[in-house]
């Protein structure tokens, strides 16, 4: 545990000395990005993933939060260290926070094509679809976000269709949390790029059109794009 906490400590701004009074989000993000780059450059990501398997829950949360920033810097080390498989295992955890952070990590790691392919190979999509019905909104939102990336590829789209992704996505269009609605609508857009997905979604245009007045501007923009893709004709 001590070594893990030492690595995670790299992300603490105090590691680099006192800040000069600038406590803004931008400044904080700068320190996290700098620390994450140091972890990646020193090849420590595989160790964090290994420790994720056995550490106490509170340490697992810290590791997943740390890996989030590391994966924004580079995904290769995590992919080579069976990160997709380890993150998938955490989707079944009893902790809402760990399930949510694991789904977020899967979203990060599936940014490159190799990550998307691994998501299909490891049958992660089926588990993420189940999490669209999770009682915790952070888990639902993160699962929808991960599926948004995973369903960019043709293989991912059809894996998701096999997992019956459409019904839970339709429910999330009216989720009380805007982030969940946004990620669900973006995933609906990627699913509508597949002929089978478009056919299934065409029947629900009234639902999508009803979101044109959503209180969230991001949701309104996303639903406009979704409708355009769903109604597109070659």
């Amino acid at each position: 545990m001590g070594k893990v906490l030492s690595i995670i400590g790299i992300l603490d701004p105090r590691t680099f000395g006192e800040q000069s009074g600038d406590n803004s989000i931008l400044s904080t993000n700068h320190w996290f990005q700098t620390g994450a780059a140091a972890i990646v450059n020193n090849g420590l990501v595989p160790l964090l993933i290994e420790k994720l398997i056995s550490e106490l829950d509170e340490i697992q949360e810290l590791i997943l939060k740390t890996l989030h920033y590391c994966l924004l810097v580079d995904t290769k080390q995590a992919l080579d260290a069976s990160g997709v498989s380890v993150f998938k295992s955490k989707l079944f955890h009893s902790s809402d926070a760990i399930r949510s952070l694991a789904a977020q990590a899967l979203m990060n790691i599936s940014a490159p094509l190799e990550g998307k392919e691994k998501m299909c190979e490891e049958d992660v999509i089926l588990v993420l679809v189940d999490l669209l019905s999770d009682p915790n909104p952070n888990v639902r939102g993160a699962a929808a976000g991960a599926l948004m990336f995973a369903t960019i590829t043709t293989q991912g789209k059809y894996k998701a269709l096999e997992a019956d992704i459409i019904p839970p996505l339709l429910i999330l269009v009216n989720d009380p949390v805007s982030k969940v609605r946004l990620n669900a609508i973006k995933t609906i857009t990627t699913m509508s790029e597949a002929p089978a997905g478009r056919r299934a979604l065409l029947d629900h245009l009234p639902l999508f059109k009803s979101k044109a007045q959503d209180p969230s501007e991001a949701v309104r923009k996303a639903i406009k794009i979704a409708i355009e893709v769903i109604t597109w004709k070659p």
Side-chain angles (χ1 to χ4, degrees):
M1 182 187 296
K3 188 169 184 180
V4 171
L5 290 176
S6 296
I7 295 171
I8 293 172
I10 294 173
L11 289 183
D12 189 336
R14 292 170 295 184
T15 304
F16 299 94
E18 293 297 323
Q19 296 186 50
S20 58
D22 182 1
N23 293 315
S24 67
I25 293 175
L26 181 60
S27 178
T28 301
N29 283 341
H30 167 74
W31 290 117
F32 274 116
Q33 291 162 7
T34 303
I39 291 172
V40 171
N41 292 338
N42 283 281
L44 298 172
V45 170
L47 175 61
L48 288 178
I49 290 176
E50 177 187 344
K51 292 297 182 181
L52 188 57
I53 300 171
S54 58
E55 288 289 354
L56 298 172
D57 287 0
E58 60 184 28
I59 304 302
Q60 289 186 43
E61 284 189 40
L62 288 172
I63 291 173
L64 284 165
K65 288 176 182 177
T66 301
L67 286 170
H68 164 66
Y69 288 97
C70 293
L71 289 166
L72 295 178
V73 175
D74 176 75
T75 58
K76 182 168 175 49
Q77 287 183 37
L79 285 166
D80 291 346
S82 301
V84 170
S85 178
V86 175
F87 297 150
K88 176 188 176 183
S89 71
K90 298 303 171 182
L91 296 177
F92 300 96
H93 202 283
S94 60
S95 163
D96 293 344
I98 289 177
R99 292 199 308 281
S100 172
L101 289 166
Q104 178 180 254
L106 286 163
M107 177 172 64
N108 298 146
I109 204 170
S110 61
L113 178 59
E114 182 182 356
K116 295 177 180 66
E117 292 173 342
K118 285 283 187 183
M119 294 274 277
C120 292
E121 292 171 11
E122 300 280 349
D123 288 326
V124 181
I125 289 175
L126 178 61
V127 183
L128 289 170
V129 170
D130 285 341
L131 289 183
L132 293 177
S133 303
D134 194 278
N136 184 279
N138 291 328
V139 177
R140 295 196 300 273
L147 286 164
M148 175 178 62
F149 278 85
T151 56
I152 287 175
T153 66
T154 300
Q155 184 183 18
K157 287 178 175 61
Y158 283 96
K159 284 275 188 180
L161 286 169
E162 290 171 7
D164 203 19
I165 192 176
I166 302 298
L169 282 179
L170 292 173
I171 292 172
L172 295 188
V173 169
N174 282 321
D175 196 276
V177 179
S178 62
K179 179 182 177 181
V180 179
R181 296 198 301 277
L182 178 62
N183 286 348
I185 291 166
K186 287 184 175 181
T187 304
I188 283 171
T189 302
T190 61
M191 291 304 303
S192 66
E193 294 169 351
R198 185 179 297 112
R199 286 194 297 272
L201 291 164
L202 274 170
D203 291 337
H204 301 279
L205 281 175
L207 168 65
F208 304 138
K209 290 178 179 178
S210 73
K211 305 309 294 181
Q213 303 302 319
D214 193 277
S216 166
E217 181 182 0
V219 169
R220 293 197 301 272
K221 288 181 178 178
I223 203 68
K224 180 180 178 182
I225 294 170
I227 291 171
E228 289 174 353
V229 176
I230 292 167
T231 57
W232 178 83
K233 293 181 180 179

